Amino acid sequence: MDVRHWTKSIVSAFLRRRLRIVLREGGAEVAGYAHFWARQAYAQELLPGRAMQSGEASWAAGLGALAEWLGTRERLQGAVLDIIVDDSLVRYTLVPWQRELRRRTERMALARACFENAYGDAMQPWDIRIDAVAGNRPAIACAIEHALVTAVKRLCAENKVKLHALQPAFVLKLNSTREAMSTDDIVVLAVDERTIAGACQMAGCWSSVWSRRLPTTHADSMSSDCWPTQLHRECLLRGYSESIPVVLLRNDAVEVLPSFQSLLDIERGNAH
């Protein structure tokens, strides 16, 4: 192997301009970074999508807005894309650990069975990924519609940009808060403009994971502040202990609460 050539290709790839894109049902958000390691965006832009057509996939409008935007910016050719898929376009489930399943294909078959048990046969055309760091414990699995994955890859090829990552929003948030999850028992709750999501860890193992849409009457604005009630209700329905600590993720901030009951304090504060 020519080490010099290998090093040069890696360095040149990571010095390319990076775009961080959040793909939603009704559009997309784009943030531009001067190079791969840059932390501060030099530009941000909202890309509203057109009205959804009858029978159209829920992600089509957002991806269409991104395609139109990229098509008018030839100077971005060669840029590296990190695409975050909003949780309204993602499904989650928990895959139990089974010692006798040693091959990856067997684990994937079990994961698909878990998804189909939770969501029905409609899960067949979805791409599934399992948390690789779970080890011999239950693992969180996520699924993105196969047609969306294919469309994203085609979009990148047509616009001569490089797809670096395609990640579900809640998975990305979970990965960013692993250090805050030092306790064996904890609930992680996340809220976005259109969705709420949560995962519970008991005795150091995941025991549940879920995501829900916010009520449609509040979907267009977080100013309604309905999310504390929705999150609190989900925690009650799932039987979480009132004494279990909570990591709350919203607006790119991390807040540690003594329990999910503290969500009611946020609700009362929003009412004033």
Side-chain angles (χ1 to χ4, degrees):
M1 178 183 293
D2 186 340
V3 177
R4 291 174 299 175
H5 175 74
W6 177 81
T7 305
K8 181 179 179 181
S9 63
I10 291 294
V11 172
S12 61
F14 281 89
L15 287 179
R16 294 173 182 170
R17 187 171 300 177
R18 178 168 66 96
L19 299 178
R20 183 180 185 272
I21 298 164
V22 180
L23 183 64
R24 306 185 188 279
E25 285 188 352
E29 300 175 17
V30 179
Y33 297 80
H35 53 81
F36 190 85
W37 289 287
R39 295 187 177 184
Q40 187 68 36
Y42 65 81
Q44 293 179 304
E45 191 169 348
L46 293 176
L47 310 178
R50 51 174 172 73
M52 186 180 299
Q53 305 296 316
S54 177
E56 189 176 50
S58 57
W59 45 263
L63 195 63
L66 178 59
E68 183 177 346
W69 186 84
L70 283 173
T72 60
R73 288 162 173 80
E74 292 186 2
R75 60 186 176 83
L76 291 179
Q77 289 184 4
V80 176
L81 269 59
D82 285 331
I83 299 182
I84 301 167
V85 183
D86 183 73
D87 286 323
S88 62
L89 303 172
V90 183
R91 293 177 179 176
Y92 298 96
T93 196
L94 202 65
V95 180
W97 167 254
Q98 293 191 8
R99 186 183 302 273
E100 60 272 20
L101 302 183
R102 300 181 181 277
R103 297 179 180 178
R104 181 180 180 276
T105 54
E106 295 174 329
R107 288 280 287 164
M108 290 300 297
L110 175 60
R112 185 165 295 278
C114 291
F115 272 109
E116 291 178 355
N117 182 61
Y119 298 99
D121 292 339
M123 289 304 302
Q124 286 295 338
W126 290 59
D127 282 5
I128 296 172
R129 296 292 182 270
I130 307 174
D131 183 6
V133 300
N136 58 348
R137 296 173 295 176
I140 291 177
C142 60
I144 299 176
E145 193 172 344
H146 178 73
L148 171 56
V149 177
T150 301
V152 166
K153 292 180 179 178
R154 182 171 59 248
L155 171 70
C156 292
E158 291 174 348
N159 290 277
K160 299 179 181 179
V161 293
K162 179 179 177 60
L163 179 62
H164 174 255
L166 182 65
Q167 295 179 293
F170 188 50
V171 168
L172 187 63
K173 292 174 182 177
L174 279 178
N175 289 338
S176 67
T177 58
R178 288 187 186 272
E179 292 183 1
M181 298 168 59
S182 56
T183 179
D184 287 340
D185 299 348
I186 199 165
V187 174
V188 181
L189 302 175
V191 59
D192 206 337
E193 291 183 355
R194 296 178 181 270
T195 57
I196 54 176
C200 181
Q201 179 177 274
M202 300 295 294
C205 297
W206 293 117
S207 62
S208 65
V209 61
W210 50 270
S211 63
R212 293 284 182 272
R213 292 174 181 268
L214 288 169
T216 54
T217 53
H218 302 302
D220 295 329
S221 175
M222 285 300 293
S223 62
S224 59
D225 291 324
C226 70
W227 60 268
T229 299
Q230 296 295 321
L231 283 175
H232 184 266
R233 183 179 303 165
E234 286 288 342
C235 292
L236 285 176
L237 290 174
R238 295 173 188 280
Y240 296 161
S241 169
E242 293 186 5
S243 62
I244 193 169
V246 168
V247 175
L248 178 63
L249 311 172
R250 60 174 176 139
N251 300 328
D252 295 327
V254 179
E255 184 177 0
V256 180
L257 307 177
S259 78
F260 70 84
Q261 293 294 339
S262 301
L263 292 165
L264 297 180
D265 296 331
I266 297 176
E267 178 77 16
R268 296 187 190 102
N270 291 337
H272 295 297

